[in-house]
Amino acid sequence: MALDFSSVIGLPPMTVPLDEYVQALDRAFAPFSTTHHAITGHVVKIDGDRATIHAHVRAEH
């Protein structure tokens, strides 16, 4: 899975196995009893068997 959170937390874009990403999310969200994510303005570009998405995210934890 390709991830790019550079505009949010300054990390460079990266590629990680999906199962590792899911495990990391499980650990990151474990302390929260609830979360809410509003994701809007999706722009999806499809190029053959690849797709990229840009969206605006507001997250409440």
Side-chain angles (χ1 to χ4, degrees):
M1 166 172 251
L3 304 169
D4 184 353
F5 292 109
S6 56
S7 66
V8 179
I9 56 176
L11 290 174
M14 65 187 88
T15 301
V16 297
L18 180 58
D19 60 332
E20 287 182 22
Y21 182 61
V22 170
Q23 290 173 11
L25 289 177
D26 283 343
R27 288 189 302 275
F29 288 106
F32 302 106
S33 60
T34 60
T35 65
H36 175 79
H37 294 74
I39 307 171
T40 63
H42 299 79
V43 177
V44 179
K45 295 181 181 177
I46 299 174
D47 181 16
D49 64 349
R50 297 180 55 92
T52 58
I53 184 172
H54 175 89
H56 298 276
V57 178
R58 180 179 173 97
E60 303 287 337
H61 301 114

